[in-house]
PDB file of all heavy atoms in Angstrom:
ATOM      1  N   HIS B  68      25.051 115.353 -13.966  1.00 92.00           N
ATOM      2  CA  HIS B  68      26.408 115.023 -13.516  1.00 92.00           C
ATOM      3  C   HIS B  68      26.858 113.716 -14.152  1.00 92.00           C
ATOM      4  O   HIS B  68      26.206 112.685 -13.957  1.00 92.00           O
ATOM      5  CB  HIS B  68      26.466 114.905 -11.996  1.00 92.00           C
ATOM      6  CG  HIS B  68      26.019 116.139 -11.278  1.00 92.00           C
ATOM      7  ND1 HIS B  68      26.785 117.277 -11.212  1.00 92.00           N
ATOM      8  CD2 HIS B  68      24.863 116.417 -10.619  1.00 92.00           C
ATOM      9  CE1 HIS B  68      26.143 118.200 -10.519  1.00 92.00           C
ATOM     10  NE2 HIS B  68      24.962 117.705 -10.157  1.00 92.00           N
ATOM     11  N   ASP B  69      27.964 113.768 -14.879  1.00 93.00           N
ATOM     12  CA  ASP B  69      28.497 112.575 -15.527  1.00 93.00           C
ATOM     13  C   ASP B  69      29.028 111.613 -14.461  1.00 93.00           C
ATOM     14  O   ASP B  69      29.763 112.032 -13.563  1.00 93.00           O
ATOM     15  CB  ASP B  69      29.632 112.996 -16.470  1.00 93.00           C
ATOM     16  CG  ASP B  69      30.091 111.848 -17.331  1.00 93.00           C
ATOM     17  OD1 ASP B  69      30.719 110.905 -16.794  1.00 93.00           O
ATOM     18  OD2 ASP B  69      29.820 111.889 -18.536  1.00 93.00           O
ATOM     19  N   ILE B  70      28.681 110.326 -14.568  1.00 92.00           N
ATOM     20  CA  ILE B  70      29.096 109.389 -13.499  1.00 92.00           C
ATOM     21  C   ILE B  70      30.594 109.096 -13.535  1.00 92.00           C
ATOM     22  O   ILE B  70      31.140 108.533 -12.592  1.00 92.00           O
ATOM     23  CB  ILE B  70      28.298 108.060 -13.505  1.00 92.00           C
ATOM     24  CG1 ILE B  70      28.500 107.287 -14.808  1.00 92.00           C
ATOM     25  CG2 ILE B  70      26.844 108.268 -13.211  1.00 92.00           C
ATOM     26  CD1 ILE B  70      28.087 105.819 -14.684  1.00 92.00           C
ATOM     27  N   ASP B  71      31.269 109.453 -14.625  1.00 90.00           N
ATOM     28  CA  ASP B  71      32.728 109.268 -14.660  1.00 90.00           C
ATOM     29  C   ASP B  71      33.444 110.512 -14.147  1.00 90.00           C
ATOM     30  O   ASP B  71      34.361 110.416 -13.337  1.00 90.00           O
ATOM     31  CB  ASP B  71      33.202 108.986 -16.092  1.00 90.00           C
ATOM     32  CG  ASP B  71      32.672 107.662 -16.593  1.00 90.00           C
ATOM     33  OD1 ASP B  71      32.606 106.731 -15.780  1.00 90.00           O
ATOM     34  OD2 ASP B  71      32.309 107.567 -17.782  1.00 90.00           O
ATOM     35  N   LYS B  72      32.993 111.684 -14.628  1.00 89.00           N
ATOM     36  CA  LYS B  72      33.732 112.921 -14.312  1.00 89.00           C
ATOM     37  C   LYS B  72      33.308 113.524 -12.977  1.00 89.00           C
ATOM     38  O   LYS B  72      34.106 114.147 -12.295  1.00 89.00           O
ATOM     39  CB  LYS B  72      33.515 113.948 -15.425  1.00 89.00           C
ATOM     40  CG  LYS B  72      34.121 113.513 -16.753  1.00 89.00           C
ATOM     41  CD  LYS B  72      33.708 114.476 -17.852  1.00 89.00           C
ATOM     42  CE  LYS B  72      33.964 113.840 -19.217  1.00 89.00           C
ATOM     43  NZ  LYS B  72      33.061 114.331 -20.244  1.00 89.00           N
ATOM     44  N   ASP B  73      32.038 113.349 -12.635  1.00 90.00           N
ATOM     45  CA  ASP B  73      31.497 114.051 -11.473  1.00 90.00           C
ATOM     46  C   ASP B  73      30.701 113.058 -10.628  1.00 90.00           C
ATOM     47  O   ASP B  73      29.567 113.314 -10.237  1.00 90.00           O
ATOM     48  CB  ASP B  73      30.578 115.168 -12.013  1.00 90.00           C
ATOM     49  CG  ASP B  73      30.301 116.222 -10.984  1.00 90.00           C
ATOM     50  OD1 ASP B  73      30.921 116.166  -9.914  1.00 90.00           O
ATOM     51  OD2 ASP B  73      29.449 117.086 -11.249  1.00 90.00           O
ATOM     52  N   TRP B  74      31.336 111.895 -10.370  1.00 88.00           N
ATOM     53  CA  TRP B  74      30.595 110.773  -9.790  1.00 88.00           C
ATOM     54  C   TRP B  74      30.076 111.058  -8.388  1.00 88.00           C
ATOM     55  O   TRP B  74      29.014 110.583  -8.000  1.00 88.00           O
ATOM     56  CB  TRP B  74      31.432 109.499  -9.821  1.00 88.00           C
ATOM     57  CG  TRP B  74      32.708 109.581  -9.043  1.00 88.00           C
ATOM     58  CD1 TRP B  74      33.921 109.957  -9.511  1.00 88.00           C
ATOM     59  CD2 TRP B  74      32.891 109.316  -7.651  1.00 88.00           C
ATOM     60  NE1 TRP B  74      34.856 109.940  -8.513  1.00 88.00           N
ATOM     61  CE2 TRP B  74      34.254 109.545  -7.360  1.00 88.00           C
ATOM     62  CE3 TRP B  74      32.044 108.904  -6.622  1.00 88.00           C
ATOM     63  CZ2 TRP B  74      34.788 109.382  -6.091  1.00 88.00           C
ATOM     64  CZ3 TRP B  74      32.582 108.744  -5.352  1.00 88.00           C
ATOM     65  CH2 TRP B  74      33.929 108.976  -5.092  1.00 88.00           C
ATOM     66  N   SER B  75      30.816 111.874  -7.631  1.00 87.00           N
ATOM     67  CA  SER B  75      30.396 112.127  -6.261  1.00 87.00           C
ATOM     68  C   SER B  75      29.053 112.877  -6.241  1.00 87.00           C
ATOM     69  O   SER B  75      28.143 112.518  -5.491  1.00 87.00           O
ATOM     70  CB  SER B  75      31.476 112.933  -5.550  1.00 87.00           C
ATOM     71  OG  SER B  75      31.180 113.046  -4.203  1.00 87.00           O
ATOM     72  N   GLU B  76      28.940 113.900  -7.084  1.00 90.00           N
ATOM     73  CA  GLU B  76      27.685 114.663  -7.171  1.00 90.00           C
ATOM     74  C   GLU B  76      26.579 113.789  -7.743  1.00 90.00           C
ATOM     75  O   GLU B  76      25.425 113.855  -7.303  1.00 90.00           O
ATOM     76  CB  GLU B  76      27.876 115.915  -8.049  1.00 90.00           C
ATOM     77  CG  GLU B  76      28.593 117.048  -7.353  1.00 90.00           C
ATOM     78  CD  GLU B  76      27.940 117.462  -6.044  1.00 90.00           C
ATOM     79  OE1 GLU B  76      26.723 117.682  -6.020  1.00 90.00           O
ATOM     80  OE2 GLU B  76      28.662 117.529  -5.029  1.00 90.00           O
ATOM     81  N   ALA B  77      26.937 112.981  -8.754  1.00 92.00           N
ATOM     82  CA  ALA B  77      25.946 112.093  -9.383  1.00 92.00           C
ATOM     83  C   ALA B  77      25.355 111.144  -8.338  1.00 92.00           C
ATOM     84  O   ALA B  77      24.130 110.969  -8.253  1.00 92.00           O
ATOM     85  CB  ALA B  77      26.599 111.306 -10.514  1.00 92.00           C
ATOM     86  N   LYS B  78      26.219 110.580  -7.506  1.00 92.00           N
ATOM     87  CA  LYS B  78      25.767 109.594  -6.528  1.00 92.00           C
ATOM     88  C   LYS B  78      24.856 110.201  -5.453  1.00 92.00           C
ATOM     89  O   LYS B  78      23.987 109.509  -4.919  1.00 92.00           O
ATOM     90  CB  LYS B  78      26.976 108.952  -5.853  1.00 92.00           C
ATOM     91  CG  LYS B  78      27.646 107.878  -6.697  1.00 92.00           C
ATOM     92  CD  LYS B  78      28.884 107.416  -5.979  1.00 92.00           C
ATOM     93  CE  LYS B  78      29.428 106.128  -6.536  1.00 92.00           C
ATOM     94  NZ  LYS B  78      30.538 105.633  -5.710  1.00 92.00           N
ATOM     95  N   LYS B  79      25.098 111.468  -5.125  1.00 93.00           N
ATOM     96  CA  LYS B  79      24.286 112.110  -4.082  1.00 93.00           C
ATOM     97  C   LYS B  79      22.805 112.130  -4.459  1.00 93.00           C
ATOM     98  O   LYS B  79      21.938 112.199  -3.599  1.00 93.00           O
ATOM     99  CB  LYS B  79      24.759 113.549  -3.868  1.00 93.00           C
ATOM    100  CG  LYS B  79      25.995 113.657  -3.017  1.00 93.00           C
ATOM    101  CD  LYS B  79      26.350 115.124  -2.836  1.00 93.00           C
ATOM    102  CE  LYS B  79      27.761 115.265  -2.312  1.00 93.00           C
ATOM    103  NZ  LYS B  79      28.247 116.634  -2.428  1.00 93.00           N
ATOM    104  N   ASN B  80      22.550 112.103  -5.769  1.00 93.00           N
ATOM    105  CA  ASN B  80      21.163 112.201  -6.234  1.00 93.00           C
ATOM    106  C   ASN B  80      20.428 110.870  -6.279  1.00 93.00           C
ATOM    107  O   ASN B  80      19.255 110.825  -6.617  1.00 93.00           O
ATOM    108  CB  ASN B  80      21.137 112.824  -7.632  1.00 93.00           C
ATOM    109  CG  ASN B  80      21.541 114.269  -7.595  1.00 93.00           C
ATOM    110  OD1 ASN B  80      20.940 115.056  -6.889  1.00 93.00           O
ATOM    111  ND2 ASN B  80      22.591 114.625  -8.327  1.00 93.00           N
ATOM    112  N   LEU B  81      21.150 109.788  -5.999  1.00 94.00           N
ATOM    113  CA  LEU B  81      20.557 108.455  -6.156  1.00 94.00           C
ATOM    114  C   LEU B  81      20.261 107.780  -4.820  1.00 94.00           C
ATOM    115  O   LEU B  81      21.056 107.843  -3.899  1.00 94.00           O
ATOM    116  CB  LEU B  81      21.529 107.537  -6.901  1.00 94.00           C
ATOM    117  CG  LEU B  81      21.614 107.618  -8.412  1.00 94.00           C
ATOM    118  CD1 LEU B  81      22.557 106.526  -8.902  1.00 94.00           C
ATOM    119  CD2 LEU B  81      20.260 107.458  -9.065  1.00 94.00           C
ATOM    120  N   GLY B  82      19.129 107.110  -4.774  1.00 94.00           N
ATOM    121  CA  GLY B  82      18.819 106.208  -3.663  1.00 94.00           C
ATOM    122  C   GLY B  82      18.517 104.853  -4.285  1.00 94.00           C
ATOM    123  O   GLY B  82      17.793 104.779  -5.278  1.00 94.00           O
ATOM    124  N   ILE B  83      19.079 103.799  -3.721  1.00 93.00           N
ATOM    125  CA  ILE B  83      18.954 102.481  -4.347  1.00 93.00           C
ATOM    126  C   ILE B  83      18.248 101.491  -3.422  1.00 93.00           C
ATOM    127  O   ILE B  83      18.626 101.364  -2.258  1.00 93.00           O
ATOM    128  CB  ILE B  83      20.348 101.872  -4.676  1.00 93.00           C
ATOM    129  CG1 ILE B  83      21.301 102.923  -5.219  1.00 93.00           C
ATOM    130  CG2 ILE B  83      20.228 100.651  -5.587  1.00 93.00           C
ATOM    131  CD1 ILE B  83      21.086 103.316  -6.632  1.00 93.00           C
ATOM    132  N   VAL B  84      17.266 100.796  -3.970  1.00 93.00           N
ATOM    133  CA  VAL B  84      16.668  99.663  -3.255  1.00 93.00           C
ATOM    134  C   VAL B  84      16.996  98.416  -4.074  1.00 93.00           C
ATOM    135  O   VAL B  84      16.381  98.154  -5.095  1.00 93.00           O
ATOM    136  CB  VAL B  84      15.131  99.824  -3.129  1.00 93.00           C
ATOM    137  CG1 VAL B  84      14.528  98.622  -2.416  1.00 93.00           C
ATOM    138  CG2 VAL B  84      14.791 101.095  -2.382  1.00 93.00           C
ATOM    139  N   PRO B  85      18.010  97.671  -3.651  1.00 90.00           N
ATOM    140  CA  PRO B  85      18.433  96.531  -4.480  1.00 90.00           C
ATOM    141  C   PRO B  85      17.458  95.355  -4.410  1.00 90.00           C
ATOM    142  O   PRO B  85      16.553  95.329  -3.574  1.00 90.00           O
ATOM    143  CB  PRO B  85      19.781  96.153  -3.879  1.00 90.00           C
ATOM    144  CG  PRO B  85      19.740  96.638  -2.492  1.00 90.00           C
ATOM    145  CD  PRO B  85      18.805  97.809  -2.444  1.00 90.00           C
ATOM    146  N   GLN B  86      17.700  94.409  -5.324  1.00 86.00           N
ATOM    147  CA  GLN B  86      16.823  93.240  -5.417  1.00 86.00           C
ATOM    148  C   GLN B  86      16.991  92.334  -4.181  1.00 86.00           C
ATOM    149  O   GLN B  86      16.017  91.854  -3.635  1.00 86.00           O
ATOM    150  CB  GLN B  86      17.255  92.476  -6.664  1.00 86.00           C
ATOM    151  CG  GLN B  86      16.163  91.700  -7.320  1.00 86.00           C
ATOM    152  CD  GLN B  86      16.675  91.079  -8.610  1.00 86.00           C
ATOM    153  OE1 GLN B  86      16.996  89.914  -8.645  1.00 86.00           O
ATOM    154  NE2 GLN B  86      16.767  91.846  -9.671  1.00 86.00           N
ATOM    155  N   GLU B  87      18.250  92.121  -3.785  1.00 86.00           N
ATOM    156  CA  GLU B  87      18.527  91.212  -2.668  1.00 86.00           C
ATOM    157  C   GLU B  87      18.734  92.027  -1.388  1.00 86.00           C
ATOM    158  O   GLU B  87      19.247  93.129  -1.438  1.00 86.00           O
ATOM    159  CB  GLU B  87      19.825  90.427  -2.939  1.00 86.00           C
ATOM    160  CG  GLU B  87      19.886  89.725  -4.274  1.00 86.00           C
ATOM    161  CD  GLU B  87      19.028  88.486  -4.323  1.00 86.00           C
ATOM    162  OE1 GLU B  87      18.651  87.975  -3.246  1.00 86.00           O
ATOM    163  OE2 GLU B  87      18.709  88.034  -5.438  1.00 86.00           O
ATOM    164  N   PHE B  88      18.339  91.404  -0.255  1.00 89.00           N
ATOM    165  CA  PHE B  88      18.611  92.061   1.033  1.00 89.00           C
ATOM    166  C   PHE B  88      20.119  92.132   1.224  1.00 89.00           C
ATOM    167  O   PHE B  88      20.810  91.125   1.037  1.00 89.00           O
ATOM    168  CB  PHE B  88      18.000  91.263   2.188  1.00 89.00           C
ATOM    169  CG  PHE B  88      16.518  91.091   2.069  1.00 89.00           C
ATOM    170  CD1 PHE B  88      15.939  89.838   2.117  1.00 89.00           C
ATOM    171  CD2 PHE B  88      15.698  92.182   1.889  1.00 89.00           C
ATOM    172  CE1 PHE B  88      14.581  89.673   1.998  1.00 89.00           C
ATOM    173  CE2 PHE B  88      14.320  92.033   1.767  1.00 89.00           C
ATOM    174  CZ  PHE B  88      13.762  90.767   1.816  1.00 89.00           C
ATOM    175  N   ASN B  89      20.622  93.295   1.563  1.00 90.00           N
ATOM    176  CA  ASN B  89      22.078  93.415   1.737  1.00 90.00           C
ATOM    177  C   ASN B  89      22.426  94.214   2.983  1.00 90.00           C
ATOM    178  O   ASN B  89      23.234  95.117   2.958  1.00 90.00           O
ATOM    179  CB  ASN B  89      22.732  94.025   0.488  1.00 90.00           C
ATOM    180  CG  ASN B  89      22.265  95.432   0.225  1.00 90.00           C
ATOM    181  OD1 ASN B  89      21.292  95.881   0.802  1.00 90.00           O
ATOM    182  ND2 ASN B  89      22.972  96.153  -0.616  1.00 90.00           N
ATOM    183  N   PHE B  90      21.757  93.827   4.088  1.00 90.00           N
ATOM    184  CA  PHE B  90      22.071  94.484   5.359  1.00 90.00           C
ATOM    185  C   PHE B  90      23.141  93.704   6.090  1.00 90.00           C
ATOM    186  O   PHE B  90      23.311  92.512   5.848  1.00 90.00           O
ATOM    187  CB  PHE B  90      20.844  94.492   6.280  1.00 90.00           C
ATOM    188  CG  PHE B  90      19.627  95.127   5.696  1.00 90.00           C
ATOM    189  CD1 PHE B  90      18.497  94.379   5.444  1.00 90.00           C
ATOM    190  CD2 PHE B  90      19.615  96.471   5.410  1.00 90.00           C
ATOM    191  CE1 PHE B  90      17.368  94.961   4.915  1.00 90.00           C
ATOM    192  CE2 PHE B  90      18.494  97.067   4.883  1.00 90.00           C
ATOM    193  CZ  PHE B  90      17.364  96.303   4.634  1.00 90.00           C
ATOM    194  N   ASN B  91      23.791  94.387   7.032  1.00 89.00           N
ATOM    195  CA  ASN B  91      24.553  93.664   8.032  1.00 89.00           C
ATOM    196  C   ASN B  91      23.496  93.111   8.984  1.00 89.00           C
ATOM    197  O   ASN B  91      22.792  93.874   9.645  1.00 89.00           O
ATOM    198  CB  ASN B  91      25.490  94.621   8.757  1.00 89.00           C
ATOM    199  CG  ASN B  91      26.294  93.917   9.827  1.00 89.00           C
ATOM    200  OD1 ASN B  91      25.891  92.886  10.358  1.00 89.00           O
ATOM    201  ND2 ASN B  91      27.438  94.478  10.131  1.00 89.00           N
ATOM    202  N   ILE B  92      23.364  91.788   9.033  1.00 91.00           N
ATOM    203  CA  ILE B  92      22.232  91.188   9.761  1.00 91.00           C
ATOM    204  C   ILE B  92      22.297  91.418  11.275  1.00 91.00           C
ATOM    205  O   ILE B  92      21.307  91.227  11.957  1.00 91.00           O
ATOM    206  CB  ILE B  92      22.102  89.677   9.466  1.00 91.00           C
ATOM    207  CG1 ILE B  92      23.418  88.960   9.768  1.00 91.00           C
ATOM    208  CG2 ILE B  92      21.669  89.436   8.032  1.00 91.00           C
ATOM    209  CD1 ILE B  92      23.303  87.445   9.727  1.00 91.00           C
ATOM    210  N   PHE B  93      23.456  91.824  11.784  1.00 91.00           N
ATOM    211  CA  PHE B  93      23.571  92.047  13.227  1.00 91.00           C
ATOM    212  C   PHE B  93      23.278  93.493  13.617  1.00 91.00           C
ATOM    213  O   PHE B  93      23.135  93.809  14.792  1.00 91.00           O
ATOM    214  CB  PHE B  93      24.988  91.682  13.707  1.00 91.00           C
ATOM    215  CG  PHE B  93      25.367  90.274  13.360  1.00 91.00           C
ATOM    216  CD1 PHE B  93      26.330  90.009  12.396  1.00 91.00           C
ATOM    217  CD2 PHE B  93      24.736  89.205  13.976  1.00 91.00           C
ATOM    218  CE1 PHE B  93      26.668  88.711  12.065  1.00 91.00           C
ATOM    219  CE2 PHE B  93      25.061  87.898  13.645  1.00 91.00           C
ATOM    220  CZ  PHE B  93      26.029  87.648  12.689  1.00 91.00           C
ATOM    221  N   GLU B  94      23.200  94.359  12.637  1.00 92.00           N
ATOM    222  CA  GLU B  94      23.004  95.786  12.938  1.00 92.00           C
ATOM    223  C   GLU B  94      21.534  96.114  13.149  1.00 92.00           C
ATOM    224  O   GLU B  94      20.689  95.704  12.352  1.00 92.00           O
ATOM    225  CB  GLU B  94      23.530  96.630  11.777  1.00 92.00           C
ATOM    226  CG  GLU B  94      24.881  97.238  12.056  1.00 92.00           C
ATOM    227  CD  GLU B  94      25.428  97.980  10.857  1.00 92.00           C
ATOM    228  OE1 GLU B  94      24.679  98.267   9.902  1.00 92.00           O
ATOM    229  OE2 GLU B  94      26.619  98.249  10.874  1.00 92.00           O
ATOM    230  N   PRO B  95      21.223  96.894  14.175  1.00 94.00           N
ATOM    231  CA  PRO B  95      19.827  97.302  14.387  1.00 94.00           C
ATOM    232  C   PRO B  95      19.369  98.272  13.287  1.00 94.00           C
ATOM    233  O   PRO B  95      20.191  98.980  12.693  1.00 94.00           O
ATOM    234  CB  PRO B  95      19.855  98.011  15.737  1.00 94.00           C
ATOM    235  CG  PRO B  95      21.171  97.702  16.337  1.00 94.00           C
ATOM    236  CD  PRO B  95      22.106  97.390  15.234  1.00 94.00           C
TER     237      PRO B  95
END
Side-chain angles (χ1 to χ4, degrees):
Chain B
H68 302 286
D69 189 290
I70 62 163
D71 294 323
K72 294 172 196 152
D73 198 7
W74 61 268
S75 187
E76 282 305 310
K78 281 175 165 187
K79 280 182 195 166
N80 291 303
L81 279 185
I83 319 283
V84 179
Q86 209 175 100
E87 308 285 342
F88 301 126
N89 63 347
F90 304 115
N91 179 335
I92 55 170
F93 304 110
E94 258 176 14

